[in-house]
Amino acid sequence: AWEVILSNWLKLRVPSYAVIGNHDHESEGVAEVYTRIMGYKNYSIVIGNFLILALNTDMDGWVRPDQLKWAERVLSQHMDKVKIMAFHHPLFGYKVRDEKIEVIEVKSLDDFDKLLNEGYIYSSWSKHPNEAKELFRLILQYDVRLILSGHIHTDLNVIVIHNKTKHYFITTSGVPLAIRGGDKRGFRLIKIFANGAVDESTITYANKALSDYPNSIPIDLGEGVEPYKIGFIEYYYAPAN
């Protein structure tokens, strides 16, 4: 499997970065194969005006306190950068998707407790509320604009607004073996500018609403669709044509 993915990965002609997932671990805290082949489990990259911060949610789906402290040190050293954060297990859970919630406005960090108590936080994170709230604090305090996740094998998008600033939590179905019935495997091409603004028309394809699922760019016809076809790609150009 590693030979297959690397034979294609090494053909890419643009800067490309991986984020470790739960299946890349042999056990909790152990990812010897991944680190030997791919490198760091958490890291930061600066590209021009952008800081990309990759975190490790491990096998059980949450970021440990020492890594959160590391993340804050990195964020504090790059206050002038546009910040993009990526980790495997999403912070927000299925209830946001099922209730078709597109925007959540928070006045303070304390509003996170309400989101947690009402079941809007993903299950693996909700079992570790202190760490989940700490991650949320980092995102708000250090103005992380784009937060990318996977794991749940379905699309899920929500915009958190704090002090008139938008923070985009984007989870994409990706290309897993199993996906939710009726969903499609897909990818996204998100445009984010050097001032931190996100072109919202690029978050979804074909002008779909944030809550109109599935809404990543499809690479197949969808689970449960006959005849099932893999490798079906449509290209959507944004915004003009």
Side-chain angles (χ1 to χ4, degrees):
W2 279 109
E3 289 177 353
V4 171
I5 191 172
L6 288 175
S7 66
N8 291 282
W9 181 283
L10 297 175
K11 295 176 184 177
L12 295 173
R13 297 185 179 182
V14 294
S16 305
Y17 305 97
V19 177
I20 190 170
N22 56 311
H23 291 292
D24 297 314
H25 291 78
E26 290 84 46
S27 60
E28 289 183 19
V30 179
E32 294 180 356
V33 174
Y34 183 91
T35 53
R36 185 172 73 248
I37 296 173
M38 298 300 293
Y40 297 109
K41 292 182 288 185
N42 59 283
Y43 59 88
S44 62
I45 295 287
V46 174
I47 305 176
N49 291 324
F50 299 90
L51 169 69
I52 299 175
L53 194 65
L55 301 177
N56 176 24
T57 53
D58 215 297
M59 178 178 279
D60 51 351
W62 59 290
V63 176
R64 273 49 176 179
D66 59 338
Q67 192 178 156
L68 292 172
K69 291 179 181 178
W70 167 83
E72 182 160 25
R73 287 198 301 272
V74 174
L75 290 167
S76 66
Q77 293 167 1
H78 298 89
M79 298 295 290
D80 60 329
K81 301 298 182 183
V82 175
K83 301 165 192 71
I84 300 171
M85 185 179 285
F87 45 84
H88 188 65
H89 296 74
L91 186 62
F92 287 96
Y94 295 114
K95 190 174 182 180
V96 169
R97 185 188 195 279
D98 295 340
E99 294 185 2
K100 294 187 176 297
I101 296 173
E102 296 186 355
V103 176
I104 296 175
E105 293 196 38
V106 296
K107 295 181 179 179
S108 70
L109 182 61
D110 292 335
D111 289 336
F112 183 82
D113 297 328
K114 182 179 179 181
L115 294 172
L116 183 66
N117 294 334
E118 294 183 358
Y120 291 107
I121 303 304
Y122 186 67
S123 57
S124 65
W125 281 103
S126 65
K127 296 174 184 176
H128 302 275
N130 293 335
E131 288 76 13
K133 188 173 183 179
E134 178 67 1
L135 177 69
F136 197 67
R137 178 186 72 82
L138 295 179
I139 291 170
L140 298 185
Q141 180 174 333
Y142 292 96
D143 190 14
V144 180
R145 292 295 177 92
L146 185 58
I147 302 94
L148 306 174
S149 298
H151 184 68
I152 58 176
H153 299 193
T154 191
D155 295 331
L156 191 158
N157 318 301
V158 63
I159 300 173
V160 172
I161 299 179
H162 176 247
N163 290 337
K164 298 182 180 181
T165 299
K166 292 182 176 181
H167 306 270
Y168 297 83
F169 290 77
I170 307 298
T171 303
T172 304
S173 60
V175 291
L177 175 64
I179 56 175
R180 274 189 164 193
D183 269 349
K184 299 179 180 180
R185 294 167 181 82
F187 66 98
R188 299 185 195 271
L189 293 172
I190 300 173
K191 182 181 290 185
I192 181 169
F193 297 95
N195 64 358
V198 173
D199 184 346
E200 295 186 7
S201 70
T202 67
I203 294 177
T204 65
Y205 85 99
N207 295 316
K208 281 195 168 187
L210 285 177
S211 61
D212 184 8
Y213 300 109
N215 55 27
S216 57
I217 301 173
I219 67 166
D220 60 32
L221 297 180
E223 197 77 2
V225 177
E226 297 292 343
Y228 183 77
K229 180 181 179 182
I230 189 72
F232 176 74
I233 301 179
E234 291 184 55
Y235 291 91
Y236 296 89
Y237 297 91
N241 60 344

